[in-house]
Amino acid sequence: MTLDELEIGKSAVITKVGGEGVLRYRLLDMGIIPKTRVTLIKRAPMGDPIELWLRGYTLTLRIEDAKKIEIAEEVCCE
């Protein structure tokens, strides 16, 4: 599953950061690294970009970039 498929309000853990060159380094510099927990806060009215919560801050990311980030959805035990 990739980050662009995550539902609003759901959390997941990043398993792999794809992309090449500058894009991959930019994602890593923003804190998008494996084993990081992310939560999808909201989507823009037209669906792009998405707003995420990770590492104590809010990050806005384009859908095209989110498709390069693989995640594993967290299973809650309520």
Side-chain angles (χ1 to χ4, degrees):
M1 179 176 187
T2 57
L3 189 54
D4 65 302
E5 300 173 69
L6 192 61
E7 295 178 25
I8 295 174
K10 301 283 182 170
S11 294
V13 176
I14 297 171
T15 57
K16 182 180 176 186
V17 179
E20 296 180 5
V22 176
L23 171 63
R24 185 166 192 280
Y25 287 118
R26 183 173 65 93
L27 294 172
L28 295 170
D29 286 343
M30 290 188 291
I32 301 174
I33 59 174
K35 298 183 183 176
T36 299
R37 182 175 185 258
V38 296
T39 304
L40 181 62
I41 298 172
K42 63 183 172 181
R43 293 180 185 271
M46 298 298 284
D48 191 17
I50 58 174
E51 187 173 302
L52 306 166
W53 176 259
L54 70 150
R55 298 183 172 270
Y57 71 96
T58 302
L59 175 68
T60 302
L61 194 64
R62 296 180 301 181
I63 291 292
E64 194 62 34
D65 296 339
K67 289 180 179 180
K68 295 173 175 53
I69 301 166
E70 293 182 23
I71 59 170
E73 194 167 2
E74 290 185 332
V75 178
C76 186
C77 51
E78 291 183 35

